Amino acid sequence: MFVPVAYCRLPVRATPKGLCKAILNVYGNPHPGTLDDLVRAVRDAIRDHHTTALLIDDITRLRLHREDDQDTLDLIRELMDLNVTLILIGVDIPGSGLLRGAYVDQRTGQWVFPDNGRGGRHSTAAATQTGRRFDMVDLDPFDYSTPAAITAFLDHLAGIEDQLRLLRSFEGMLTTGEMPEYLFGRTRGVVGLLRRLIEDGCTEAILTGEERLTPELLAKTTIHLGNLDDLDPGAGEVPDIPQNTAPPTKPRRRRRRNTVLDDRGSRPAAGG
């Protein structure tokens, strides 16, 4: 089976064996008993399935004060010498401590990840990775403070809207009127929260027969993060969910009142 891109998540309690098993699960391969056999099986699987990109999510679950986590990071470095692009994904990687000791090459603008020299299980292989470089790409939440940022957010909403199959959906359902500002206020531009809100909102729209998304319907929808046991709050995987779910209120038009001009006080009294 040809698997050009393989995606897995780092276990909450990271160990070299746990990471190897997570990678092998992508291919449906069995798990050998020893660590050396697991590493060999991972290498064989990546080669046999012609994988060109390996994505490891939740990398900030690593805590480098734990020996198992240090060994897991060493194993990740060992995988760098495979003919595969290694992509590590996490929340606030600079603040996680994973880059401690790394520096930016001023000539290339890339990060250099030096060998840690701890002498762990995989440190010999990791020592060959001293000169390896990697790029760090920041994917910030959407912004709503500039015209360009608003346009980018609207383009994203338009892409989501094209995929919805509600019976009463209409062009501009997510991109016109008060909906964009409401969606941004509910999610602060975080893609994961936006996806959850729209998914749960579509479920509510189908169950109630509304068959379309409106701010009023979404105001009754609570954002569910799924299985919280599978998330690590310490790694920034549980975002802060805005609590204000009220739909935007339309400004009330003032009724015109009949005005009586009374100028009696502005002129002197007659007589005398």
Side-chain angles (χ1 to χ4, degrees), residues 28-172:
N29 288 10
H31 303 162
T34 67
L35 177 58
D36 290 338
D37 289 339
L38 282 167
V39 174
R40 188 178 302 109
V42 168
R43 288 175 168 272
D44 292 343
I46 292 175
R47 182 193 64 244
D48 295 343
H49 294 277
H50 303 282
T51 299
T52 57
L54 174 62
L55 284 64
I56 303 178
D57 203 350
D58 300 325
I59 191 64
T60 47
R61 289 177 174 178
L62 290 177
R63 299 290 186 270
L64 297 186
H65 63 277
R66 296 194 295 245
E67 184 176 355
D68 284 342
D69 295 54
Q70 294 174 6
D71 289 343
T72 303
L73 182 58
D74 287 343
L75 172 59
I76 292 174
R77 292 181 182 180
E78 183 177 346
L79 297 178
M80 289 181 182
D81 65 1
L82 297 175
N83 188 25
V84 62
T85 299
L86 193 63
I87 301 175
L88 309 180
I89 307 169
V91 178
D92 189 20
I93 289 179
S96 67
L98 293 177
L99 298 179
R100 189 176 297 117
Y103 62 93
V104 178
D105 189 326
Q106 297 300 324
R107 295 179 297 105
T108 64
Q110 295 176 308
W111 286 83
V112 177
F113 207 166
D115 174 41
N116 53 26
R118 287 190 301 270
R121 182 185 300 273
H122 298 286
S123 60
T124 302
T128 64
Q129 308 304 321
T130 301
R132 295 281 183 174
R133 289 175 169 83
F134 62 90
D135 293 319
M136 185 167 61
V137 180
D138 290 323
L139 300 178
D140 294 327
F142 283 103
D143 190 16
Y144 213 78
S145 59
T146 65
I150 294 174
T151 299
F153 186 61
L154 292 177
D155 288 343
H156 184 69
L157 293 180
I160 297 175
E161 183 181 298
D162 289 342
Q163 304 299 318
L164 300 183
R165 295 297 180 264
L166 296 174
L167 296 179
R168 298 179 61 199
S169 62
F170 55 91
E171 185 176 355

Side-chain angles (χ1 to χ4, degrees), residues 196-211:
R196 292 282 187 177
L197 176 60
I198 292 179
E199 285 181 353
D200 294 342
C202 287
T203 301
E204 183 70 16
I206 293 171
L207 293 177
T208 60
E210 179 68 20
E211 290 292 343

Side-chain angles (χ1 to χ4, degrees), residues 252-266:
R252 298 181 59 185
R253 297 179 59 183
R254 290 187 176 182
R255 297 179 57 187
R256 299 184 61 180
R257 301 177 59 185
N258 295 327
T259 304
V260 177
L261 297 178
D262 185 358
D263 59 351
R264 287 175 298 180
S266 61

Side-chain angles (χ1 to χ4, degrees), residues 200-223:
D200 294 342
C202 287
T203 301
E204 183 70 16
I206 293 171
L207 293 177
T208 60
E210 179 68 20
E211 290 292 343
R212 62 175 179 170
L213 296 180
T214 64
E216 290 74 20
L217 182 140
L218 292 176
K220 305 174 184 177
T221 304
T222 302
I223 299 177

